Amino acid sequence: MTTPTAPPVVTADRLAKSWGSTVVFEDASFTVGSGITGLLGSNGSGKTTLLGMILGLHRPDGGGLEVFGDDPAHAGPEIRARVGYSPEHHTMPPDLRAHDLVTLVARVHGIPRRAATTRASDALWLVGLGEERYRGIGTMSTGQRQRVKLAQAIAHDPRLVLLDEPTDGLDPVQREEILSLIARIGRELSIDVIVSSHLLDEVERVCDSVVILGGGKVVASGPLESVLGDSSGVVVELDSGADAVASGVRDRGFEVAVEHGRLVLEVNADDLDRALDAVRDAVAENGAPLRS
């Protein structure tokens, strides 16, 4: 007996979108299925705009977009009722307690008051803020605020969660913790997740599939293993001296890109050990403060 294929969560067909004279998307097509999907692209590649279109907040200029089989330009309220969203920005009411904010968002999604209160507590415990849930958001660290945003995105038990740069502003330890939470939400709670990120290593760690944006188009999309092939990568985070270290790595025979102070190398799996040695030597040679 053949197992039926689950319908796509999001489908885009020749999607086009511009802001004035700035073209964001031009003839972009992709399909997002169940599981955890990475939306990968550099800053300015249109990731946040695409999330807004999925929510029905922005209308495409051309092409088609469907979420759960519906057009978000016409069924936005119905789609938003089934979607959780964690924005990239950290702007939240500083005087509001975390529990009150999560409760409010749950009620906006149609959850009755008493149930919303319970769900807010459950969501905050899940993200590791159970004992801090009555603290004012203004007294919280960036890492704790990211957890609050994650809690408000899942408190109403959505079918799909959109996370826009959920590790922005976090140190390496906090990043690992947030990525572990995302994996748990997607796999233990069976919620479909779209994670927007400009970091390939984050996508590789938690995602089942990926949509890669670049130049107003979809560069590649599909299951992670088929898109990335047999290449390996090295991401180096430094407090300073990225350009000098990158030059040293290039002198040792490897191509390297510098992205927001990080070094990114893509190498064949057989060359991974040599690439790591090249990074080590270049870091030591320049006395650069290595973060990870």
Side-chain angles (χ1 to χ4, degrees):
M1 181 176 178
T2 302
T3 302
T5 303
V9 178
V10 179
T11 303
D13 181 23
R14 307 191 68 179
L15 193 65
K17 180 65 180 176
S18 298
W19 296 115
S21 61
T22 302
V23 177
V24 182
F25 294 114
E26 184 179 18
D27 197 31
S29 299
F30 62 88
T31 298
V32 173
S34 298
I36 305 176
T37 300
L39 185 60
L40 183 64
S42 61
N43 290 333
S45 62
K47 301 188 298 295
T48 298
T49 296
L50 179 56
L51 296 183
M53 287 195 285
I54 291 173
L55 290 166
L57 302 177
H58 312 311
R59 289 177 177 265
D61 297 325
L65 181 66
E66 291 188 352
V67 182
F68 314 133
D70 293 325
D71 182 353
H74 302 290
E78 293 81 4
I79 290 172
R80 289 192 290 273
R82 294 181 283 170
V83 176
Y85 174 54
S86 173
E88 180 181 8
H89 65 76
H90 304 302
T91 306
M92 292 181 284
D95 297 331
L96 201 62
R97 300 184 302 178
H99 185 269
D100 294 339
L101 175 65
V102 178
T103 300
L104 176 61
V105 174
R107 293 193 64 200
V108 168
H109 280 91
I111 306 300
R113 180 188 296 271
R114 182 172 296 180
T117 300
T118 301
R119 291 194 183 195
S121 290
D122 291 344
L124 288 163
W125 276 105
L126 177 66
V127 302
L129 288 179
E131 296 182 353
E132 307 287 340
R133 65 189 185 279
Y134 295 120
R135 276 184 57 186
I137 295 173
T139 69
M140 291 184 165
S141 67
T142 300
Q144 289 171 323
R145 293 184 187 191
Q146 287 286 24
R147 291 171 185 261
V148 172
K149 290 194 294 182
L150 194 55
Q152 61 83 27
I154 64 174
H156 62 291
D157 192 22
R159 177 178 169 185
L160 170 67
V161 169
L162 309 177
L163 306 177
D164 196 355
E165 299 283 359
T167 64
D168 180 53
L170 305 186
D171 63 36
V173 173
Q174 293 171 327
R175 283 178 57 204
E176 290 297 329
E177 292 171 348
I178 289 293
L179 292 174
S180 295
L181 281 172
I182 293 170
R184 183 181 177 191
I185 288 168
R187 294 178 181 126
E188 293 185 19
L189 303 184
S190 299
I191 297 174
D192 295 324
V193 182
I194 296 178
V195 185
S196 163
S197 178
H198 61 275
L199 300 174
L200 176 60
D201 67 313
E202 291 187 356
V203 171
E204 287 183 300
R205 291 181 198 183
V206 299
C207 295
D208 308 305
S209 58
V210 64
V211 176
I212 304 176
L213 305 178
K217 300 181 182 296
V218 174
V219 178
S221 66
L224 200 61
E225 62 273 11
S226 66
V227 172
L228 299 182
D230 60 359
S231 63
S232 297
V234 180
V235 178
V236 185
E237 295 191 1
L238 302 161
D239 287 333
S240 62
D243 290 332
V245 173
S247 178
V249 172
R250 293 188 188 103
D251 290 343
R252 290 167 172 83
F254 292 94
E255 293 295 324
V256 57
V258 181
E259 300 177 357
H260 309 287
R262 296 182 176 91
L263 309 188
V264 181
L265 293 77
E266 185 174 330
V267 297
N268 294 325
D270 293 340
D271 292 330
L272 182 58
D273 287 341
R274 287 200 311 111
L276 291 171
D277 289 344
V279 170
R280 176 201 62 201
D281 293 344
V283 167
E285 179 180 83
N286 290 277
L290 178 65
R291 183 180 290 261
S292 71

